[in-house]
Amino acid sequence: MENFILECCVDSVESAIKAQEGGANRLELCGNLIIGGTSPSIALYEEVRKHTNIRIHALLRPRFGDFLYTDHEMEILRREVALFREAGCDGVVIGCLTEEGELNMPGMQMLLAERGNMSVTLHRAFDVAKDPFKVLEQCKELGINTILTSGQKNSVLEGADLICQLVEKAEGKVDILAGAGVNAAVIEKMLAKTPLTSFHMSGKVTLDSGMKYRKEGVSMGLPSLSEFEVWQTDPAKVRAARTVLENA
C-alpha cells in the first residue's frame, strides 16, 4: 500500500524517537497517555520537534473525563490551539460535545478559528457522540481533515462495520483514522474488512522504573497505578505494523 498513515500516540521524547525509528509517519503528541491523553506542554512539543522530523499533531484535552467543557476549559483549549499554531505544530486533535451528545458546533468553530494552516483531527469524542453520521457531515461542513475513531466501540475490530460505513460516507472529504487496540495483527484483519488507509496506535510496552530506592505506601495519584512503571513506545511493534501496511 502507498500513501498510508501510521500515526503513533506518544507522551514523551523517548517514545516519539522510537515511534519514528519504528516507521511511524505521524505523531499524536499528548501528555498522560495512561489516562487517555491530555494536552502536552509546549516545551515537550519543542523537544520532540528537535529530535524527530515527521508530522506532529498535538492532542488538546484540558482534563481526563468527558468532553462537556466549561467556558474556562474552552478558553484554555482555544488558547492552546493558538499556542501550538504559533509554535509551528503541524496539526491539532480536538473535540467538544454538548450535554446531549451532539457536536458542540459553536465551540468547534471557536477552536477552528485559531487553526491557521494546521490540520485538524476530531478525536474520540466522536466515539461517544449520539449520531456518528451527523457528526461526520458536520466535520465536512467545518473543514475538519480527520476523524479518529474506534467505530464507537472499545476496539476497532468491534467497530469495523461502522468504520467501513464512515469511510464510504466520508467520500474522501474526511480521512477516517482507526484507533483503539491497533497493532500489526489488527491492521491485517482491518484491511481485509475495510478500505482503510490510516491507523493510530501506541505500540507501548511497560518498563520498570530506574528508581532503586522506592518509598512504600505513598501514592502520587490513583492507588491502582504504580509510580514505578513507565509506558514507552516499542519500535518493533510500530515496525511490524508498518510492514503490514507496506505489504498490503
Side-chain angles (χ1 to χ4, degrees):
M1 181 190 296
E2 296 180 359
N3 301 319
F4 60 82
I5 296 293
L6 180 58
E7 179 178 271
C8 200
C9 53
V10 300
D11 63 359
S12 69
V13 181
E14 291 78 9
S15 283
I17 291 169
K18 290 181 182 300
Q20 178 173 285
E21 179 186 320
N25 52 19
R26 193 165 78 198
L27 300 173
E28 182 195 75
L29 182 64
C30 65
N32 303 302
L33 185 55
I34 198 166
I35 55 170
T38 56
S39 300
S41 68
I42 291 291
L44 175 58
Y45 163 76
E46 290 174 341
E47 192 66 13
V48 168
R49 183 73 290 165
K50 283 182 196 175
H51 297 282
T52 61
N53 57 19
I54 56 179
R55 288 182 65 87
I56 301 173
H57 290 185
L59 170 72
L60 303 183
R61 187 177 174 216
R63 57 166 169 77
F64 169 78
D66 65 34
F67 305 103
L68 177 64
Y69 295 129
T70 67
D71 290 344
H72 296 303
E73 289 169 331
M74 287 302 301
E75 176 56 23
I76 291 167
L77 283 170
R78 185 199 67 77
R79 183 65 181 130
E80 285 183 327
V81 174
L83 286 170
F84 277 93
R85 183 195 72 230
E86 292 161 7
C89 197
D90 299 298
V92 287
V93 184
I94 56 176
C96 51
L97 301 178
T98 70
E99 62 183 9
E100 297 298 330
E102 305 280 351
L103 193 64
N104 179 348
M105 289 293 281
M108 292 298 295
Q109 289 165 340
M110 181 181 77
L111 299 180
L112 287 163
E114 301 287 353
R115 73 185 291 182
N117 294 323
M118 291 190 296
S119 171
V120 174
T121 297
L122 173 63
H123 58 42
R124 290 188 64 210
F126 178 88
D127 284 327
V128 292
K130 185 185 298 183
D131 184 341
F133 300 112
K134 179 179 178 181
V135 176
L136 172 60
E137 294 306 313
Q138 289 172 319
C139 286
K140 293 179 186 178
E141 178 185 336
L142 290 168
I144 287 173
N145 305 90
T146 302
I147 294 172
L148 171 61
T149 180
S150 61
Q152 297 204 325
K153 299 291 185 180
N154 282 328
S155 72
V156 295
L157 284 178
E158 294 175 85
D161 289 344
L162 177 57
I163 289 172
C164 194
Q165 293 177 66
L166 290 168
V167 173
E168 180 182 350
K169 291 181 181 296
E171 300 173 318
K173 297 174 183 175
V174 180
D175 187 35
I176 303 302
L177 174 65
V182 170
N183 56 33
V186 168
I187 291 174
E188 196 162 18
K189 291 176 182 177
M190 289 296 289
L191 290 175
K193 293 172 177 280
T194 71
L196 278 167
T197 58
S198 299
F199 292 89
H200 170 97
M201 68 182 295
S202 66
K204 64 182 179 294
V205 291
T206 303
L207 305 177
D208 191 42
S209 165
M211 289 291 296
K212 293 182 179 178
Y213 173 73
R214 302 186 179 192
K215 173 69 78 174
E216 298 296 333
V218 180
S219 176
M220 297 293 119
L222 294 173
S224 59
L225 300 178
S226 171
E227 265 77 43
F228 302 108
E229 291 181 351
V230 179
W231 282 13
Q232 194 171 100
T233 299
D234 181 353
K237 291 187 176 184
V238 181
R239 193 174 301 113
R242 183 178 178 107
T243 298
V244 170
L245 288 165
E246 288 178 334
N247 293 338

